[in-house]
Each structure stands twice: as C-alpha cells, then as structure tokens.
Amino acid sequence: GAVVSQHPSWVICKSGTSVKIECRSLDFQATTMFWYRQFPKQSLMLMATSNEGSKATYEQGVEKDKFLINHASLTLSTLTVTSAHPEDSSFYICSADTGLAGRDWNEQFFGPGTRLTVL
Amino acid sequence: RKEVEQDPGPFNVPEGATVAFNCTYSNSASQSFFWYRQDCRKEPKLLMSVYSSGNEDGRFTAQLNRASQYISLLIRDSKLSDSATYLCVVTNTGGFKTIFGAGTRLFVKA
C-alpha cells in the first residue's frame, strides 16, 4: 500500500516557539493532504485540507494564522504550529489522498503521527 | 448531536468471544462508510469498507443500514491482537469531508 511519512515523530518544545511538521507521500503523488489533531481519548478532528498549489481550507474553529499549512509539492505538506502553547500539545496526524480518477472516494493513507508536547 | 457517534466502550471480552460495535451518523447524505482500527499511539488503518449489502472479511463483518443511519462491526472469535480502538468513519462526497467517530476501545483478554 501507499506510504505516508511524518517528521518528526515526536517533539518537545518550550511555550512560544514554532514547530514544523512534515508530511510526505513516499510512493505516490497526493493532490490533497489532510491534517488531523487528536487529543487523548478523543476522536481525530480534521483541522484542514491541504491542496497542492493553493491555500488550505481550514475547519471551523481552527486558526489559520496559528496553524500554517504549506503544500508546496505533490509529495509534501507541512504544518507549522506558531507560538505553541501547552494547550496545543496533541497528536497530529496527516493523511494523503491517492486521488485516483473515477472513484467516489479514495482511501486515505495516514502518516504515523507526530506527538507534540509544549512545556 | 455529534455527526458520528459510537458505543462508548471499553469492551472487555475473553478470547474467542463475539463482539459487536455500532455507530450512528446524522447526515443522511453521507456516502461512504468505513471502519478503521487504531492501535495505541499509532495512526488509524483501514479495516474495511461498509456497504449496504454487508461485507465480510474473515472474522470481521460490517453492515450498513441507511434507513436507520447506522453501521455495525461484528468480530467473531476474538483474538488478543484484536485489542485496539475501532473508529467509525463517514465521508460525504462532494465536500470530501471525512468524519471520525470517537472510537470504541476493545480489550481482548486471555
């Protein structure tokens, strides 16, 4: 199956710093990538949809100036948590859509996630 | 009301037991349905798609009831390795929005 990688897998940072998380599709091109956040014992929550070459679409309640998304190529999307605070500590997961033509829905392949802890 | 709701769990069952999970969704226009499995601190992985006609994959059987807007997952002959969180996932076409349920935790004990 298709492989999606994330880097770093975990990060600990001080409050006020910015953290960049990379999401890469390793063996396929992903026109669309998704960023999710998961707090302990809660569901995955979609933060934004990232389309290559255009601005990301953010879900209601997600601050676009705080969570900067850049989808610079068909294999790379980055999420930057700016001025991170302890409440931003969470598990961030990206997924990539294979974008196969002619299908109502394409399976999303998930990255392994990045655990962010803000002190 | 949440768009996708699941049994709260956790389910604690012995090896060999049969266990069933239910999931309800609120958007009648929802188009695609899936069960994902998520192990602790890992990413979700697709377990199976869910069709109106029902589908089976080994010990796993998934059912969709559009009239009642619910999805079910049945696991027969539970194994220790089935211990995980099972996520009900609903996708709306057009908007291409994927909604995850909160997940149901399953613990299978020897």
Side-chain angles (χ1 to χ4, degrees), chain A residues 32 34 36 38 41-46 49 59 91 93 97 104-108 110-113 115, chain B residues 31-32 34 36 38 41-46 49 87 89 91 93 96-103 105:
Chain A
T32 304
F34 305 87
Y36 297 85
Q38 185 180 34
K41 298 186 179 182
Q42 295 187 27
S43 173
L44 287 176
M45 296 295 296
L46 179 63
T49 302
E59 294 300 300
F91 192 50
I93 302 178
D97 169 57
D104 289 335
W105 185 88
N106 296 296
E107 181 181 351
Q108 292 186 35
F110 289 84
R115 188 161 298 281
Chain B
Q31 193 72 20
S32 303
F34 308 86
Y36 276 71
Q38 185 178 26
R41 294 181 173 244
K42 297 286 184 64
E43 75 279 18
K45 293 185 186 296
L46 180 64
S49 303
L87 301 169
V89 180
T91 299
T93 53
F96 203 97
K97 186 171 182 178
T98 298
I99 305 163
F100 286 78
R105 298 194 72 180

mmCIF file of all heavy atoms in Angstrom, chain A residues 32 34 36 38 41-46 49 59 91 93 97 104-108 110-113 115, chain B residues 31-32 34 36 38 41-46 49 87 89 91 93 96-103 105:
data_model
loop_
_atom_site.group_PDB
_atom_site.id
_atom_site.type_symbol
_atom_site.label_atom_id
_atom_site.label_comp_id
_atom_site.label_asym_id
_atom_site.label_seq_id
_atom_site.Cartn_x
_atom_site.Cartn_y
_atom_site.Cartn_z
ATOM 1 N N THR A 32 -4.155 16.022 -2.605
ATOM 2 C CA THR A 32 -4.804 16.510 -1.393
ATOM 3 C C THR A 32 -4.235 15.804 -0.173
ATOM 4 O O THR A 32 -4.089 14.588 -0.171
ATOM 5 C CB THR A 32 -6.326 16.269 -1.453
ATOM 6 O OG1 THR A 32 -6.846 16.894 -2.625
ATOM 7 C CG2 THR A 32 -7.008 16.846 -0.224
ATOM 8 N N PHE A 34 -4.497 15.903 4.263
ATOM 9 C CA PHE A 34 -5.336 16.332 5.369
ATOM 10 C C PHE A 34 -4.527 16.350 6.658
ATOM 11 O O PHE A 34 -3.668 15.507 6.876
ATOM 12 C CB PHE A 34 -6.521 15.371 5.535
ATOM 13 C CG PHE A 34 -7.344 15.196 4.287
ATOM 14 C CD1 PHE A 34 -7.005 14.243 3.342
ATOM 15 C CD2 PHE A 34 -8.459 15.997 4.063
ATOM 16 C CE1 PHE A 34 -7.743 14.083 2.200
ATOM 17 C CE2 PHE A 34 -9.218 15.834 2.908
ATOM 18 C CZ PHE A 34 -8.862 14.876 1.971
ATOM 19 N N TYR A 36 -4.953 16.267 10.798
ATOM 20 C CA TYR A 36 -5.852 15.972 11.904
ATOM 21 C C TYR A 36 -5.128 16.205 13.223
ATOM 22 O O TYR A 36 -3.907 16.161 13.323
ATOM 23 C CB TYR A 36 -6.296 14.502 11.867
ATOM 24 C CG TYR A 36 -7.087 14.074 10.652
ATOM 25 C CD1 TYR A 36 -6.440 13.666 9.482
ATOM 26 C CD2 TYR A 36 -8.477 14.066 10.675
ATOM 27 C CE1 TYR A 36 -7.156 13.270 8.380
ATOM 28 C CE2 TYR A 36 -9.205 13.669 9.570
ATOM 29 C CZ TYR A 36 -8.535 13.261 8.424
ATOM 30 O OH TYR A 36 -9.259 12.855 7.329
ATOM 31 N N GLN A 38 -5.540 14.920 17.381
ATOM 32 C CA GLN A 38 -6.221 14.000 18.277
ATOM 33 C C GLN A 38 -5.749 14.222 19.700
ATOM 34 O O GLN A 38 -4.570 14.036 20.015
ATOM 35 C CB GLN A 38 -5.961 12.540 17.869
ATOM 36 C CG GLN A 38 -6.751 11.532 18.690
ATOM 37 C CD GLN A 38 -6.472 10.103 18.253
ATOM 38 O OE1 GLN A 38 -5.362 9.778 17.842
ATOM 39 N NE2 GLN A 38 -7.480 9.255 18.329
ATOM 40 N N LYS A 41 -7.898 10.208 24.255
ATOM 41 C CA LYS A 41 -9.213 9.586 24.407
ATOM 42 C C LYS A 41 -10.288 10.292 23.576
ATOM 43 O O LYS A 41 -11.479 10.124 23.848
ATOM 44 C CB LYS A 41 -9.628 9.539 25.872
ATOM 45 C CG LYS A 41 -8.693 8.698 26.739
ATOM 46 C CD LYS A 41 -9.209 8.561 28.149
ATOM 47 C CE LYS A 41 -8.259 7.685 28.962
ATOM 48 N NZ LYS A 41 -8.760 7.475 30.346
ATOM 49 N N GLN A 42 -9.888 11.047 22.605
ATOM 50 C CA GLN A 42 -10.864 11.696 21.740
ATOM 51 C C GLN A 42 -10.662 11.280 20.296
ATOM 52 O O GLN A 42 -9.683 10.633 19.944
ATOM 53 C CB GLN A 42 -10.763 13.221 21.871
ATOM 54 C CG GLN A 42 -11.138 13.729 23.255
ATOM 55 C CD GLN A 42 -11.186 15.241 23.303
ATOM 56 O OE1 GLN A 42 -11.428 15.900 22.291
ATOM 57 N NE2 GLN A 42 -10.961 15.802 24.480
ATOM 58 N N SER A 43 -11.615 11.644 19.474
ATOM 59 C CA SER A 43 -11.547 11.278 18.070
ATOM 60 C C SER A 43 -10.553 12.144 17.320
ATOM 61 O O SER A 43 -10.164 13.208 17.778
ATOM 62 C CB SER A 43 -12.935 11.446 17.460
ATOM 63 O OG SER A 43 -12.889 11.260 16.072
ATOM 64 N N LEU A 44 -10.203 11.659 16.155
ATOM 65 C CA LEU A 44 -9.457 12.512 15.238
ATOM 66 C C LEU A 44 -10.343 13.673 14.823
ATOM 67 O O LEU A 44 -11.520 13.483 14.522
ATOM 68 C CB LEU A 44 -9.069 11.740 13.980
ATOM 69 C CG LEU A 44 -7.970 10.698 14.100
ATOM 70 C CD1 LEU A 44 -7.808 9.987 12.770
ATOM 71 C CD2 LEU A 44 -6.668 11.341 14.507
ATOM 72 N N MET A 45 -9.774 14.858 14.808
ATOM 73 C CA MET A 45 -10.514 16.031 14.370
ATOM 74 C C MET A 45 -9.796 16.634 13.177
ATOM 75 O O MET A 45 -8.620 16.961 13.251
ATOM 76 C CB MET A 45 -10.601 17.065 15.501
ATOM 77 C CG MET A 45 -11.384 16.595 16.703
ATOM 78 S SD MET A 45 -13.133 16.313 16.334
ATOM 79 C CE MET A 45 -13.643 17.966 15.915
ATOM 80 N N LEU A 46 -10.527 16.760 12.090
ATOM 81 C CA LEU A 46 -9.938 17.357 10.900
ATOM 82 C C LEU A 46 -9.658 18.827 11.162
ATOM 83 O O LEU A 46 -10.530 19.566 11.588
ATOM 84 C CB LEU A 46 -10.886 17.203 9.705
ATOM 85 C CG LEU A 46 -10.420 17.793 8.377
ATOM 86 C CD1 LEU A 46 -9.159 17.089 7.883
ATOM 87 C CD2 LEU A 46 -11.526 17.704 7.328
ATOM 88 N N THR A 49 -7.732 20.942 5.145
ATOM 89 C CA THR A 49 -7.487 20.197 3.913
ATOM 90 C C THR A 49 -6.481 20.989 3.095
ATOM 91 O O THR A 49 -6.657 22.191 2.861
ATOM 92 C CB THR A 49 -8.785 20.035 3.113
ATOM 93 O OG1 THR A 49 -9.745 19.357 3.928
ATOM 94 C CG2 THR A 49 -8.537 19.230 1.846
ATOM 95 N N GLU A 59 -10.971 24.016 8.887
ATOM 96 C CA GLU A 59 -12.246 23.715 9.528
ATOM 97 C C GLU A 59 -12.604 24.829 10.512
ATOM 98 O O GLU A 59 -11.735 25.570 10.990
ATOM 99 C CB GLU A 59 -12.171 22.377 10.259
ATOM 100 C CG GLU A 59 -12.001 21.188 9.330
ATOM 101 C CD GLU A 59 -13.131 21.036 8.352
ATOM 102 O OE1 GLU A 59 -14.293 20.873 8.798
ATOM 103 O OE2 GLU A 59 -12.877 21.069 7.125
ATOM 104 N N PHE A 91 -1.625 15.020 19.429
ATOM 105 C CA PHE A 91 -1.121 14.078 18.428
ATOM 106 C C PHE A 91 -1.608 14.598 17.080
ATOM 107 O O PHE A 91 -2.809 14.716 16.862
ATOM 108 C CB PHE A 91 -1.673 12.680 18.720
ATOM 109 C CG PHE A 91 -1.031 11.565 17.954
ATOM 110 C CD1 PHE A 91 0.347 11.436 17.902
ATOM 111 C CD2 PHE A 91 -1.811 10.612 17.316
ATOM 112 C CE1 PHE A 91 0.939 10.394 17.207
ATOM 113 C CE2 PHE A 91 -1.230 9.555 16.619
ATOM 114 C CZ PHE A 91 0.149 9.447 16.569
ATOM 115 N N ILE A 93 -1.808 14.139 13.058
ATOM 116 C CA ILE A 93 -1.707 13.105 12.028
ATOM 117 C C ILE A 93 -2.062 13.703 10.678
ATOM 118 O O ILE A 93 -3.024 14.464 10.565
ATOM 119 C CB ILE A 93 -2.667 11.930 12.302
ATOM 120 C CG1 ILE A 93 -2.389 11.309 13.674
ATOM 121 C CG2 ILE A 93 -2.550 10.860 11.232
ATOM 122 C CD1 ILE A 93 -3.343 10.175 14.018
ATOM 123 N N ASP A 97 -4.426 11.633 0.073
ATOM 124 C CA ASP A 97 -5.412 11.006 -0.796
ATOM 125 C C ASP A 97 -4.727 10.583 -2.086
ATOM 126 O O ASP A 97 -3.991 11.345 -2.678
ATOM 127 C CB ASP A 97 -6.523 12.018 -1.068
ATOM 128 C CG ASP A 97 -7.455 11.572 -2.152
ATOM 129 O OD1 ASP A 97 -8.018 10.478 -1.991
ATOM 130 O OD2 ASP A 97 -7.606 12.278 -3.148
ATOM 131 N N ASP A 104 -15.622 7.462 -6.245
ATOM 132 C CA ASP A 104 -16.353 8.395 -5.386
ATOM 133 C C ASP A 104 -15.521 8.813 -4.187
ATOM 134 O O ASP A 104 -15.648 9.906 -3.678
ATOM 135 C CB ASP A 104 -17.654 7.751 -4.891
ATOM 136 C CG ASP A 104 -18.665 7.617 -6.008
ATOM 137 O OD1 ASP A 104 -18.588 8.397 -6.962
ATOM 138 O OD2 ASP A 104 -19.530 6.731 -5.925
ATOM 139 N N TRP A 105 -14.734 7.905 -3.728
ATOM 140 C CA TRP A 105 -13.913 8.206 -2.557
ATOM 141 C C TRP A 105 -12.625 7.447 -2.682
ATOM 142 O O TRP A 105 -12.610 6.285 -3.070
ATOM 143 C CB TRP A 105 -14.650 7.803 -1.284
ATOM 144 C CG TRP A 105 -13.920 8.182 -0.037
ATOM 145 C CD1 TRP A 105 -13.989 9.358 0.633
ATOM 146 C CD2 TRP A 105 -13.005 7.374 0.703
ATOM 147 N NE1 TRP A 105 -13.186 9.339 1.733
ATOM 148 C CE2 TRP A 105 -12.563 8.134 1.806
ATOM 149 C CE3 TRP A 105 -12.504 6.086 0.539
ATOM 150 C CZ2 TRP A 105 -11.658 7.657 2.744
ATOM 151 C CZ3 TRP A 105 -11.598 5.597 1.475
ATOM 152 C CH2 TRP A 105 -11.183 6.381 2.555
ATOM 153 N N ASN A 106 -11.560 8.122 -2.349
ATOM 154 C CA ASN A 106 -10.258 7.476 -2.403
ATOM 155 C C ASN A 106 -9.755 7.233 -0.992
ATOM 156 O O ASN A 106 -9.887 8.084 -0.132
ATOM 157 C CB ASN A 106 -9.277 8.367 -3.156
ATOM 158 C CG ASN A 106 -9.679 8.553 -4.595
ATOM 159 O OD1 ASN A 106 -9.717 7.608 -5.363
ATOM 160 N ND2 ASN A 106 -10.013 9.772 -4.967
ATOM 161 N N GLU A 107 -9.187 6.084 -0.811
ATOM 162 C CA GLU A 107 -8.691 5.744 0.520
ATOM 163 C C GLU A 107 -7.634 6.742 0.945
ATOM 164 O O GLU A 107 -6.803 7.165 0.151
ATOM 165 C CB GLU A 107 -8.099 4.344 0.521
ATOM 166 C CG GLU A 107 -7.585 3.909 1.888
ATOM 167 C CD GLU A 107 -6.973 2.529 1.848
ATOM 168 O OE1 GLU A 107 -7.113 1.859 0.814
ATOM 169 O OE2 GLU A 107 -6.348 2.148 2.842
ATOM 170 N N GLN A 108 -7.727 7.121 2.186
ATOM 171 C CA GLN A 108 -6.712 7.997 2.743
ATOM 172 C C GLN A 108 -5.664 7.140 3.418
ATOM 173 O O GLN A 108 -5.976 6.221 4.154
ATOM 174 C CB GLN A 108 -7.328 8.948 3.756
ATOM 175 C CG GLN A 108 -8.271 9.967 3.155
ATOM 176 C CD GLN A 108 -8.732 10.973 4.183
ATOM 177 O OE1 GLN A 108 -7.994 11.355 5.087
ATOM 178 N NE2 GLN A 108 -9.971 11.404 4.060
ATOM 179 N N PHE A 110 -2.652 7.220 6.084
ATOM 180 C CA PHE A 110 -2.265 8.061 7.204
ATOM 181 C C PHE A 110 -0.780 7.971 7.509
ATOM 182 O O PHE A 110 -0.159 6.915 7.376
ATOM 183 C CB PHE A 110 -3.057 7.653 8.456
ATOM 184 C CG PHE A 110 -4.507 8.028 8.392
ATOM 185 C CD1 PHE A 110 -5.424 7.213 7.758
ATOM 186 C CD2 PHE A 110 -4.950 9.217 8.971
ATOM 187 C CE1 PHE A 110 -6.764 7.561 7.698
ATOM 188 C CE2 PHE A 110 -6.284 9.570 8.915
ATOM 189 C CZ PHE A 110 -7.190 8.739 8.279
ATOM 190 N N GLY A 111 -0.250 9.103 7.920
ATOM 191 C CA GLY A 111 1.101 9.101 8.446
ATOM 192 C C GLY A 111 1.098 8.528 9.853
ATOM 193 O O GLY A 111 0.035 8.336 10.443
ATOM 194 N N PRO A 112 2.273 8.281 10.404
ATOM 195 C CA PRO A 112 2.374 7.682 11.740
ATOM 196 C C PRO A 112 2.077 8.658 12.865
ATOM 197 O O PRO A 112 1.969 8.250 14.015
ATOM 198 C CB PRO A 112 3.824 7.210 11.799
ATOM 199 C CG PRO A 112 4.545 8.123 10.861
ATOM 200 C CD PRO A 112 3.575 8.420 9.759
ATOM 201 N N GLY A 113 1.935 9.924 12.550
ATOM 202 C CA GLY A 113 1.599 10.903 13.577
ATOM 203 C C GLY A 113 2.809 11.553 14.208
ATOM 204 O O GLY A 113 3.921 11.011 14.194
ATOM 205 N N ARG A 115 3.743 13.474 17.863
ATOM 206 C CA ARG A 115 3.278 13.831 19.198
ATOM 207 C C ARG A 115 3.988 15.108 19.636
ATOM 208 O O ARG A 115 5.207 15.123 19.769
ATOM 209 C CB ARG A 115 3.557 12.694 20.185
ATOM 210 C CG ARG A 115 2.921 12.926 21.552
ATOM 211 C CD ARG A 115 2.805 11.632 22.335
ATOM 212 N NE ARG A 115 1.944 10.664 21.670
ATOM 213 C CZ ARG A 115 0.620 10.689 21.698
ATOM 214 N NH1 ARG A 115 -0.013 11.632 22.349
ATOM 215 N NH2 ARG A 115 -0.083 9.745 21.082
ATOM 216 N N GLN B 31 -22.106 9.330 2.187
ATOM 217 C CA GLN B 31 -21.989 8.447 1.037
ATOM 218 C C GLN B 31 -21.158 7.197 1.285
ATOM 219 O O GLN B 31 -21.498 6.127 0.831
ATOM 220 C CB GLN B 31 -21.361 9.248 -0.117
ATOM 221 C CG GLN B 31 -21.456 8.583 -1.468
ATOM 222 C CD GLN B 31 -22.874 8.596 -2.001
ATOM 223 O OE1 GLN B 31 -23.700 9.390 -1.577
ATOM 224 N NE2 GLN B 31 -23.182 7.694 -2.905
ATOM 225 N N SER B 32 -20.062 7.364 2.005
ATOM 226 C CA SER B 32 -19.139 6.245 2.181
ATOM 227 C C SER B 32 -18.887 6.001 3.657
ATOM 228 O O SER B 32 -18.854 6.939 4.454
ATOM 229 C CB SER B 32 -17.812 6.530 1.466
ATOM 230 O OG SER B 32 -18.028 6.789 0.101
ATOM 231 N N PHE B 34 -16.744 3.494 6.659
ATOM 232 C CA PHE B 34 -15.578 2.647 6.867
ATOM 233 C C PHE B 34 -15.390 2.357 8.346
ATOM 234 O O PHE B 34 -15.823 3.126 9.204
ATOM 235 C CB PHE B 34 -14.309 3.335 6.358
ATOM 236 C CG PHE B 34 -14.426 3.832 4.944
ATOM 237 C CD1 PHE B 34 -14.957 5.085 4.680
ATOM 238 C CD2 PHE B 34 -14.039 3.047 3.890
ATOM 239 C CE1 PHE B 34 -15.090 5.552 3.385
ATOM 240 C CE2 PHE B 34 -14.164 3.498 2.585
ATOM 241 C CZ PHE B 34 -14.690 4.749 2.337
ATOM 242 N N TYR B 36 -12.109 1.835 10.792
ATOM 243 C CA TYR B 36 -10.654 1.914 10.920
ATOM 244 C C TYR B 36 -10.272 1.320 12.262
ATOM 245 O O TYR B 36 -11.045 1.359 13.224
ATOM 246 C CB TYR B 36 -10.168 3.377 10.880
ATOM 247 C CG TYR B 36 -9.978 3.958 9.501
ATOM 248 C CD1 TYR B 36 -11.064 4.251 8.694
ATOM 249 C CD2 TYR B 36 -8.702 4.241 9.021
ATOM 250 C CE1 TYR B 36 -10.887 4.798 7.434
ATOM 251 C CE2 TYR B 36 -8.512 4.788 7.759
ATOM 252 C CZ TYR B 36 -9.611 5.071 6.982
ATOM 253 O OH TYR B 36 -9.430 5.619 5.734
ATOM 254 N N GLN B 38 -7.281 1.584 15.214
ATOM 255 C CA GLN B 38 -6.160 2.403 15.684
ATOM 256 C C GLN B 38 -5.552 1.766 16.918
ATOM 257 O O GLN B 38 -6.232 1.609 17.935
ATOM 258 C CB GLN B 38 -6.606 3.834 15.992
ATOM 259 C CG GLN B 38 -5.446 4.760 16.369
ATOM 260 C CD GLN B 38 -5.885 6.188 16.632
ATOM 261 O OE1 GLN B 38 -7.020 6.440 16.998
ATOM 262 N NE2 GLN B 38 -4.980 7.136 16.436
ATOM 263 N N ARG B 41 -1.329 4.989 20.244
ATOM 264 C CA ARG B 41 -0.294 5.914 19.789
ATOM 265 C C ARG B 41 0.151 5.657 18.350
ATOM 266 O O ARG B 41 1.250 6.019 17.971
ATOM 267 C CB ARG B 41 0.918 5.872 20.716
ATOM 268 C CG ARG B 41 0.584 6.391 22.109
ATOM 269 C CD ARG B 41 1.776 6.373 23.039
ATOM 270 N NE ARG B 41 1.458 7.023 24.292
ATOM 271 C CZ ARG B 41 2.040 8.129 24.735
ATOM 272 N NH1 ARG B 41 2.984 8.696 24.029
ATOM 273 N NH2 ARG B 41 1.694 8.660 25.884
ATOM 274 N N LYS B 42 -0.706 5.035 17.590
ATOM 275 C CA LYS B 42 -0.395 4.793 16.183
ATOM 276 C C LYS B 42 -1.457 5.443 15.299
ATOM 277 O O LYS B 42 -2.497 5.878 15.784
ATOM 278 C CB LYS B 42 -0.363 3.280 15.902
ATOM 279 C CG LYS B 42 0.705 2.524 16.662
ATOM 280 C CD LYS B 42 2.064 2.785 16.113
ATOM 281 C CE LYS B 42 3.138 1.950 16.805
ATOM 282 N NZ LYS B 42 2.936 0.492 16.559
ATOM 283 N N GLU B 43 -1.165 5.496 14.016
ATOM 284 C CA GLU B 43 -2.141 6.080 13.109
ATOM 285 C C GLU B 43 -3.269 5.100 12.813
ATOM 286 O O GLU B 43 -3.074 3.881 12.888
ATOM 287 C CB GLU B 43 -1.458 6.519 11.804
ATOM 288 C CG GLU B 43 -1.089 5.387 10.860
ATOM 289 C CD GLU B 43 0.193 4.698 11.237
ATOM 290 O OE1 GLU B 43 0.657 4.838 12.383
ATOM 291 O OE2 GLU B 43 0.735 4.010 10.356
ATOM 292 N N PRO B 44 -4.432 5.585 12.450
ATOM 293 C CA PRO B 44 -5.532 4.686 12.084
ATOM 294 C C PRO B 44 -5.212 3.945 10.794
ATOM 295 O O PRO B 44 -4.567 4.492 9.902
ATOM 296 C CB PRO B 44 -6.712 5.640 11.870
ATOM 297 C CG PRO B 44 -6.310 6.928 12.476
ATOM 298 C CD PRO B 44 -4.830 6.995 12.369
ATOM 299 N N LYS B 45 -5.670 2.721 10.726
ATOM 300 C CA LYS B 45 -5.503 1.935 9.500
ATOM 301 C C LYS B 45 -6.862 1.406 9.070
ATOM 302 O O LYS B 45 -7.656 0.967 9.910
ATOM 303 C CB LYS B 45 -4.537 0.777 9.737
ATOM 304 C CG LYS B 45 -3.100 1.217 9.996
ATOM 305 C CD LYS B 45 -2.183 0.023 10.103
ATOM 306 C CE LYS B 45 -0.770 0.426 10.506
ATOM 307 N NZ LYS B 45 -0.141 1.275 9.472
ATOM 308 N N LEU B 46 -7.108 1.447 7.783
ATOM 309 C CA LEU B 46 -8.385 0.987 7.266
ATOM 310 C C LEU B 46 -8.578 -0.496 7.561
ATOM 311 O O LEU B 46 -7.731 -1.322 7.214
ATOM 312 C CB LEU B 46 -8.460 1.239 5.758
ATOM 313 C CG LEU B 46 -9.748 0.808 5.070
ATOM 314 C CD1 LEU B 46 -10.928 1.625 5.590
ATOM 315 C CD2 LEU B 46 -9.620 0.956 3.558
ATOM 316 N N SER B 49 -14.248 -1.420 4.354
ATOM 317 C CA SER B 49 -15.315 -0.542 3.903
ATOM 318 C C SER B 49 -16.644 -1.171 4.297
ATOM 319 O O SER B 49 -16.725 -2.362 4.581
ATOM 320 C CB SER B 49 -15.253 -0.373 2.390
ATOM 321 O OG SER B 49 -13.991 0.124 2.000
ATOM 322 N N LEU B 87 -12.553 2.794 14.953
ATOM 323 C CA LEU B 87 -13.116 4.088 14.577
ATOM 324 C C LEU B 87 -14.112 3.927 13.441
ATOM 325 O O LEU B 87 -13.805 3.315 12.416
ATOM 326 C CB LEU B 87 -12.010 5.045 14.125
ATOM 327 C CG LEU B 87 -10.918 5.349 15.144
ATOM 328 C CD1 LEU B 87 -9.767 6.082 14.464
ATOM 329 C CD2 LEU B 87 -11.476 6.203 16.269
ATOM 330 N N VAL B 89 -15.985 5.693 10.489
ATOM 331 C CA VAL B 89 -15.637 6.837 9.651
ATOM 332 C C VAL B 89 -16.689 7.016 8.558
ATOM 333 O O VAL B 89 -17.071 6.060 7.891
ATOM 334 C CB VAL B 89 -14.243 6.641 9.015
ATOM 335 C CG1 VAL B 89 -13.885 7.835 8.144
ATOM 336 C CG2 VAL B 89 -13.200 6.433 10.102
ATOM 337 N N THR B 91 -17.832 9.495 5.239
ATOM 338 C CA THR B 91 -17.366 10.500 4.287
ATOM 339 C C THR B 91 -18.518 10.987 3.440
ATOM 340 O O THR B 91 -19.352 10.200 2.996
ATOM 341 C CB THR B 91 -16.282 9.909 3.371
ATOM 342 O OG1 THR B 91 -15.185 9.502 4.167
ATOM 343 C CG2 THR B 91 -15.793 10.937 2.371
ATOM 344 N N THR B 93 -19.521 12.786 0.015
ATOM 345 C CA THR B 93 -18.976 13.099 -1.301
ATOM 346 C C THR B 93 -19.234 14.573 -1.618
ATOM 347 O O THR B 93 -20.018 15.233 -0.977
ATOM 348 C CB THR B 93 -19.618 12.253 -2.398
ATOM 349 O OG1 THR B 93 -21.029 12.375 -2.304
ATOM 350 C CG2 THR B 93 -19.230 10.806 -2.246
ATOM 351 N N PHE B 96 -16.160 16.175 0.224
ATOM 352 C CA PHE B 96 -14.993 15.352 0.536
ATOM 353 C C PHE B 96 -14.576 15.553 1.983
ATOM 354 O O PHE B 96 -13.420 15.818 2.291
ATOM 355 C CB PHE B 96 -13.823 15.704 -0.401
ATOM 356 C CG PHE B 96 -12.837 14.581 -0.530
ATOM 357 C CD1 PHE B 96 -12.921 13.729 -1.607
ATOM 358 C CD2 PHE B 96 -11.854 14.383 0.417
ATOM 359 C CE1 PHE B 96 -12.021 12.689 -1.730
ATOM 360 C CE2 PHE B 96 -10.946 13.350 0.297
ATOM 361 C CZ PHE B 96 -11.032 12.505 -0.784
ATOM 362 N N LYS B 97 -15.542 15.464 2.857
ATOM 363 C CA LYS B 97 -15.264 15.653 4.266
ATOM 364 C C LYS B 97 -15.340 14.313 4.970
ATOM 365 O O LYS B 97 -16.317 13.585 4.819
ATOM 366 C CB LYS B 97 -16.263 16.636 4.876
ATOM 367 C CG LYS B 97 -15.952 16.995 6.319
ATOM 368 C CD LYS B 97 -16.846 18.138 6.777
ATOM 369 C CE LYS B 97 -16.514 18.528 8.210
ATOM 370 N NZ LYS B 97 -17.332 19.674 8.666
ATOM 371 N N THR B 98 -14.305 14.010 5.703
ATOM 372 C CA THR B 98 -14.252 12.752 6.433
ATOM 373 C C THR B 98 -14.441 13.011 7.910
ATOM 374 O O THR B 98 -13.758 13.862 8.485
ATOM 375 C CB THR B 98 -12.895 12.069 6.186
ATOM 376 O OG1 THR B 98 -12.779 11.779 4.801
ATOM 377 C CG2 THR B 98 -12.805 10.771 6.980
ATOM 378 N N ILE B 99 -15.365 12.305 8.488
ATOM 379 C CA ILE B 99 -15.671 12.495 9.906
ATOM 380 C C ILE B 99 -15.412 11.200 10.651
ATOM 381 O O ILE B 99 -15.933 10.144 10.264
ATOM 382 C CB ILE B 99 -17.132 12.924 10.087
ATOM 383 C CG1 ILE B 99 -17.406 14.181 9.254
ATOM 384 C CG2 ILE B 99 -17.436 13.196 11.557
ATOM 385 C CD1 ILE B 99 -18.869 14.452 9.042
ATOM 386 N N PHE B 100 -14.654 11.302 11.710
ATOM 387 C CA PHE B 100 -14.330 10.136 12.517
ATOM 388 C C PHE B 100 -15.200 10.105 13.772
ATOM 389 O O PHE B 100 -15.425 11.136 14.404
ATOM 390 C CB PHE B 100 -12.873 10.183 12.960
ATOM 391 C CG PHE B 100 -11.887 9.885 11.872
ATOM 392 C CD1 PHE B 100 -11.560 10.857 10.936
ATOM 393 C CD2 PHE B 100 -11.281 8.650 11.786
ATOM 394 C CE1 PHE B 100 -10.648 10.592 9.934
ATOM 395 C CE2 PHE B 100 -10.359 8.382 10.790
ATOM 396 C CZ PHE B 100 -10.043 9.357 9.867
ATOM 397 N N GLY B 101 -15.636 8.918 14.130
ATOM 398 C CA GLY B 101 -16.260 8.755 15.429
ATOM 399 C C GLY B 101 -15.178 8.804 16.500
ATOM 400 O O GLY B 101 -13.992 8.774 16.192
ATOM 401 N N ALA B 102 -15.601 8.869 17.743
ATOM 402 C CA ALA B 102 -14.648 8.972 18.851
ATOM 403 C C ALA B 102 -13.915 7.665 19.092
ATOM 404 O O ALA B 102 -12.885 7.645 19.765
ATOM 405 C CB ALA B 102 -15.369 9.416 20.114
ATOM 406 N N GLY B 103 -14.439 6.572 18.537
ATOM 407 C CA GLY B 103 -13.762 5.295 18.692
ATOM 408 C C GLY B 103 -14.314 4.469 19.831
ATOM 409 O O GLY B 103 -14.813 5.009 20.828
ATOM 410 N N ARG B 105 -13.091 1.349 22.296
ATOM 411 C CA ARG B 105 -11.924 0.573 22.704
ATOM 412 C C ARG B 105 -12.327 -0.863 23.001
ATOM 413 O O ARG B 105 -13.342 -1.117 23.667
ATOM 414 C CB ARG B 105 -11.263 1.198 23.927
ATOM 415 C CG ARG B 105 -10.756 2.599 23.650
ATOM 416 C CD ARG B 105 -9.826 3.087 24.723
ATOM 417 N NE ARG B 105 -8.531 2.402 24.658
ATOM 418 C CZ ARG B 105 -7.544 2.662 25.497
ATOM 419 N NH1 ARG B 105 -7.684 3.535 26.461
ATOM 420 N NH2 ARG B 105 -6.404 2.011 25.387
#
